[in-house]
Amino acid sequence: MQALPSLSLWNRWWQTVCAKMPFSDWLLVGTLLALGGSWNVVRADGGSERNCSAIPPYLPSTVVNTTLRLQALREAMSSVNVSAYIIPGTDAHLSEYIAPRDARMAFMTGFTGSAGTAVVTLNKAVLWTDSRYWVQAERQMDCNWELEKDVSISSIADWLIREVSDTDNIGFDPFLFSIQTYESYSYNLVPAKLMLKSIPDNLVDSVWIDRPPIPPDNLIRLPDRVVERTWQMKVEHIRTQMRNNPYKPTAVLLSALDETAWLFNLRGSDVPYNPFFYSYTLLTLNEIWLFVHKDRVTEDLKLYLQSTCFHLAHCVKLLEYEQVRVMLKNYMTTYGVKVWIGTEYTNYALYELITPEEKLLTSAYSPVLTTKAVKDETEQRILRDAHVRDAVAVIQLLMWLEKVVPEGKETEMTAAYYVNECRSKQKDSRGPSFETISASGPNAALAHYSPSNATSRKLTVDEMYLVDSGGQYLDGTTDITRTVHWGIPTDMQKEAFTRVLMGNIEISRTIFPSGTKGVNMEMLGRRALWEVGLNYGHGTGHGVGNYFGVHEWPVGFQGNNIPFREGMFTSIEPGYYKENDFGIRIEDVVVIVPAHTKYGHNYLTFETVSLVPYDRKLIDTSLMSPQQLQWLDNYYLTIRELMGAELDRQGLTEEKKWMLKHTVPFQSATASAAVSSLSLTLTALATALLHILL
């Protein structure tokens, strides 16, 4: 939750507002104060939901007072002649994870969910979000805000059409709109004669008095031991793609934060859990412009970026981050230029400058994103290494939980803290790759739940437990999910878990032609569930980076992902969630490798690099095919080989014993059980026969 500005800052702002406040607003404030001495009357201490229809309104202690914020924003809206203002929950780079200073929707609404759009008019304020966050929104928003249980742009547009007259302007920050977002709003609003007004200077920023600053940390370059391709090599590789493109672009504009970080082998700390920094790059056939906060570029980095300036084409010119629009606009005045952009991550503020249309070349993803998706040999090797060390931390967590959960003292929060601590002790650790999902019982039925002081449940042997966590390391990014039960699972839980595991295995063992899209095999992860009428409501997998984002596009199993090629890494993560009861997800990271087939060439398959065993007591082998069991035994053999050596190297004897215990082969165990059963039967028959004879 965003903290309120300091009292002294609010006082200075309030003095300014008071001088301009109309009499009607004074009446409103006076009424609110008379009712309860503040902006609300009843304030609860628990985590319950608000009740704005009650008299007086009932508000949980988790809400944020947005009265003054809305008043200030409406003043700003009036100053630029807009009657409605759209506030998306993203940043200027259309990132999945955003920095605290970009959490404008959260600041205005109090709602901290990762998906949503807010709209403020001169007399109303509304938030749109999806079903994952409806309860959270009701717990965090005050009664200034209405909740719309939808996320579609058409729903927002319909509301605007009802609330705004055709003589009014609807304001938006073009830096926070993707090209598709702008076009979708226009498509829905233009028939009603409503127009969007582009306002590059964000109105929320203008009233956010204590907006978090840009982190002061300097940028860093990756050490040579984790780099195979220098930035000069990468630049030339992208330029080769430009020259070979039949539409002959003269420049590539890079907007996504990971594009510039990858191109120059640089990292930063501007975004939680992601080693990115605010930046844009304009790369031409003979020049390079890097837009960044220059005061964070050390002299050593300047030398690194400009040591080859004797060759103009390999000389990085540093410009201030905020100059990107001015520079792009100037470049577009040059005769014969054509700028190549990836439409998925280019904001409308830059797109609207690339005119006329013949100066624009578009593809869904930039050549940097599609190139970065295929890891080179060094990246593959070190990413595998990172997963070995990461598995040590997860094994330590699961072994510890087996011991302590029966004591009844541990919670979702303490488990999340423990795994983060375990990771922090591993070589090259740089912190978590996302907020740990540590979920027990009904909380695990919420696919994207993370514990808080208000929601954390005590761990117990009577409930299933799901932990989805990952680490950032200097040589790789990890993401793994395991689901366990420390007591006696129900038959339903065992069957659901086994069928989720079968889906994971079926994708993992599949052989497919190079160039196959993930969406064409995604149903393999669901088939075992579908057979008994079960399913899950999230994606089946996503790309993973090398000390980058834990969700690295454009690799994965969705329709807008690019075809699979050798050297790509993706997660495979089917699941099942029974509302208010339990949740199951099994997530592994895999690398795409060549498959050796009898006749064909250029076929691929997946090799699992996550190295933590599954919970044996949740696996019903009677549901599985011999091929699935053989795959599982082979996987466990790999865990024994790789993790045995690593645990020995780290002197973790107890963890090694735990790992060996949980990776006993299933087929040999089944065969041994069958032999033992047969021996007991023969012994019993012999005893009976002897008894008869005697």
Side-chain angles (χ1 to χ4, degrees):
M1 183 186 298
Q2 291 292 326
L4 286 168
S6 67
L7 185 59
S8 61
L9 288 172
W10 272 121
N11 285 340
R12 290 199 298 272
W13 178 87
W14 184 242
Q15 291 169 2
T16 303
V17 171
C18 289
K20 301 178 180 179
M21 187 180 292
F23 182 72
S24 60
D25 288 332
W26 277 111
L27 285 177
L28 173 62
V29 172
T31 302
L32 288 170
L33 291 173
L35 280 171
S38 65
W39 60 289
N40 65 289
V41 178
V42 179
R43 197 156 175 101
D45 293 326
S48 59
E49 301 174 28
R50 65 180 182 168
N51 184 352
C52 296
S53 61
I55 301 176
Y58 178 87
L59 296 171
S61 59
T62 48
V63 303
V64 173
N65 182 346
T66 65
T67 300
L68 297 181
R69 301 175 186 190
L70 286 168
Q71 176 69 34
L73 180 61
R74 285 166 175 149
E75 293 270 350
M77 290 164 56
S78 297
S79 70
V80 292
N81 192 32
V82 296
S83 299
Y85 191 63
I86 302 172
I87 309 169
T90 188
D91 65 7
H93 305 274
L94 309 178
S95 307
E96 177 183 7
Y97 293 93
I98 61 175
R101 70 190 319 267
D102 292 317
R104 299 174 179 91
M105 180 186 71
F107 170 75
M108 287 306 307
T109 66
F111 167 69
T112 59
S114 63
T117 300
V119 177
V120 177
T121 67
L122 297 179
N123 56 13
K124 289 187 177 182
V126 184
L127 172 75
W128 280 259
T129 191
D130 65 57
S131 59
R132 293 175 296 166
Y133 298 112
W134 292 344
V135 172
Q136 180 179 342
E138 295 287 5
R139 290 176 176 175
Q140 293 182 322
M141 296 196 304
D142 64 15
C143 291
N144 288 309
W145 289 88
E146 300 173 25
L147 175 63
E148 288 284 340
K149 298 181 176 182
D150 199 338
V151 289
S152 66
I153 289 177
S154 60
S155 171
I156 301 172
D158 288 344
W159 186 89
L160 285 166
I161 290 170
R162 293 193 303 271
E163 297 292 331
V164 178
S165 71
D166 57 11
T167 59
D168 294 330
N169 291 314
I170 300 171
F172 76 102
D173 180 349
F175 281 101
L176 304 184
F177 270 40
S178 69
I179 300 167
Q180 183 180 9
T181 297
Y182 176 83
E183 291 174 346
S184 295
Y185 274 109
S186 295
Y187 175 82
N188 285 278
L189 294 174
V190 167
K193 298 182 180 179
L194 292 177
M195 299 296 293
L196 291 171
K197 181 177 181 179
S198 176
I199 306 174
D201 295 323
N202 192 279
L203 297 185
V204 174
D205 294 352
S206 70
V207 303
W208 194 349
I209 299 173
D210 63 345
R211 184 185 178 206
I214 296 168
D217 306 335
N218 292 328
L219 311 186
I220 65 168
R221 57 172 290 195
L222 292 176
D224 291 340
R225 64 184 171 89
V226 299
V227 173
E228 179 174 316
R229 293 171 285 184
T230 66
W231 70 258
Q232 292 92 339
M233 294 168 62
K234 292 179 177 180
V235 162
E236 284 309 308
H237 184 75
I238 301 304
R239 282 173 171 159
T240 297
Q241 294 184 57
M242 293 165 62
R243 294 186 185 99
N244 292 340
N245 190 294
Y247 297 99
K248 303 302 177 185
T250 62
V252 172
L253 176 64
L254 305 179
S255 296
L257 295 180
D258 57 342
E259 292 178 310
T260 290
W262 177 86
L263 186 66
F264 296 110
N265 294 326
L266 298 176
R267 299 295 187 269
S269 58
D270 293 353
V271 181
Y273 308 115
N274 294 265
F276 302 147
F277 55 95
Y278 290 110
S279 58
Y280 296 97
T281 297
L282 186 62
L283 172 65
T284 75
L285 292 171
N286 49 28
E287 291 184 274
I288 310 168
W289 290 287
L290 171 57
F291 302 88
V292 69
H293 296 102
K294 292 167 60 176
D295 59 340
R296 303 169 65 200
V297 181
T298 64
E299 291 301 318
D300 286 345
L301 276 188
K302 289 179 182 176
L303 180 62
Y304 165 73
L305 294 170
Q306 298 176 342
S307 62
T308 51
C309 278
F310 58 85
H311 191 324
L312 181 61
H314 288 163
C315 184
V316 180
K317 298 177 181 178
L318 298 175
L319 288 84
E320 287 295 340
Y321 173 77
E322 293 80 7
Q323 290 182 274
V324 62
R325 266 177 62 100
V326 173
M327 185 64 197
L328 180 60
K329 190 173 183 178
N330 290 339
Y331 182 76
M332 296 311 301
T333 64
T334 306
Y335 175 78
V337 300
K338 179 174 287 190
V339 178
W340 188 357
I341 65 169
T343 56
E344 289 288 332
Y345 290 100
T346 301
N347 62 53
Y348 191 77
L350 301 182
Y351 173 78
E352 66 181 349
L353 298 178
I354 306 175
T355 58
E357 190 173 339
E358 56 265 24
K359 291 188 174 184
L360 173 68
L361 174 62
T362 65
S363 56
Y365 304 103
S366 78
V368 165
L369 280 184
T370 54
T371 301
K372 177 170 65 69
V374 179
K375 314 304 182 192
D376 61 38
E377 290 184 3
T378 297
E379 290 169 332
Q380 292 182 45
R381 173 179 55 79
I382 63 177
L383 190 47
R384 288 172 180 268
D385 291 344
H387 278 84
V388 172
R389 301 196 306 278
D390 190 76
V392 173
V394 181
I395 286 172
Q396 289 176 317
L397 168 72
L398 296 179
M399 184 184 76
W400 175 72
L401 289 175
E402 272 189 14
K403 293 180 181 178
V404 300
V405 167
E407 299 173 4
K409 298 179 181 179
E410 303 307 326
T411 67
E412 294 169 342
M413 291 280 284
T414 59
Y417 176 81
Y418 191 90
V419 74
N420 290 342
E421 279 295 298
C422 291
R423 283 194 170 96
S424 71
K425 298 173 184 176
Q426 291 299 314
K427 176 186 173 184
D428 289 334
S429 173
R430 294 298 184 270
S433 56
F434 57 97
E435 185 177 8
T436 297
I437 298 173
S438 174
S440 180
N443 285 345
L446 305 172
H448 297 90
Y449 165 87
S450 290
S452 66
N453 289 329
T455 64
S456 181
R457 291 174 65 85
K458 184 173 289 187
L459 304 185
T460 166
V461 296
D462 298 322
E463 293 182 341
M464 296 185 79
Y465 172 70
L466 183 156
V467 56
D468 184 348
S469 65
Q472 291 286 11
Y473 302 89
L474 200 57
D475 50 355
T477 303
T478 68
D479 185 5
I480 182 171
T481 307
R482 290 294 181 263
T483 305
V484 297
H485 198 303
W486 299 292
I488 302 175
T490 66
D491 290 343
M492 166 62 178
Q493 289 172 334
K494 287 187 66 173
E495 179 173 4
F497 181 93
T498 304
R499 290 184 179 278
V500 170
L501 176 60
M502 290 162 66
N504 184 299
I505 292 174
E506 280 306 292
I507 294 180
S508 299
R509 62 184 289 269
T510 247
I511 294 175
F512 54 93
S514 178
T516 301
K517 296 193 72 172
V519 69
N520 294 331
M521 64 180 78
E522 196 259 5
M523 59 83 59
L524 294 175
R526 302 177 185 269
R527 184 171 60 186
L529 291 165
W530 286 355
E531 288 173 350
V532 291
L534 304 180
N535 203 356
Y536 54 94
H538 56 72
T540 298
H542 54 80
V544 178
N546 281 83
Y547 191 27
F548 265 129
V550 71
H551 294 168
E552 185 176 76
W553 286 75
V555 177
F557 291 87
Q558 299 188 44
N560 57 350
N561 291 143
I562 61 176
F564 284 138
R565 290 174 53 193
E566 179 184 350
M568 290 180 173
F569 283 73
T570 183
S571 71
I572 299 174
E573 49 183 297
Y576 172 69
Y577 310 88
K578 186 177 181 182
E579 188 175 0
N580 296 319
D581 194 350
F582 64 87
I584 298 166
R585 186 161 60 253
I586 300 173
E587 177 183 17
D588 294 307
V589 172
V590 299
V591 58
I592 299 173
V593 297
H596 303 289
T597 61
K598 184 175 182 180
Y599 298 111
H601 301 284
N602 203 25
Y603 279 73
L604 304 171
T605 191
F606 300 105
E607 182 180 326
T608 304
V609 299
S610 301
L611 297 167
V612 179
Y614 313 118
D615 189 349
R616 295 182 76 89
K617 71 170 61 176
L618 285 170
I619 300 174
D620 182 354
T621 57
S622 69
L623 298 174
M624 301 174 68
S625 70
Q627 293 81 5
Q628 291 167 347
L629 287 170
Q630 184 61 55
W631 183 95
L632 188 55
D633 282 349
N634 290 340
Y635 173 54
Y636 276 10
L637 180 60
T638 300
I639 293 177
R640 284 179 161 230
E641 291 175 350
L642 296 179
M643 294 311 302
E646 181 64 20
L647 293 168
D648 283 342
R649 191 188 66 78
Q650 296 192 27
L652 299 172
T653 304
E654 190 176 0
E655 285 83 350
K656 183 178 180 181
K657 290 180 180 178
W658 184 94
M659 179 272 295
L660 291 174
K661 173 185 173 183
H662 287 78
T663 54
V664 173
F666 280 88
Q667 288 184 314
S668 60
T670 303
S672 298
V675 170
S676 299
S677 177
L678 179 60
S679 299
L680 287 171
T681 302
L682 291 175
T683 301
L685 287 173
T687 302
L689 182 60
L690 286 171
H691 180 75
I692 293 171
L693 292 174
L694 295 174

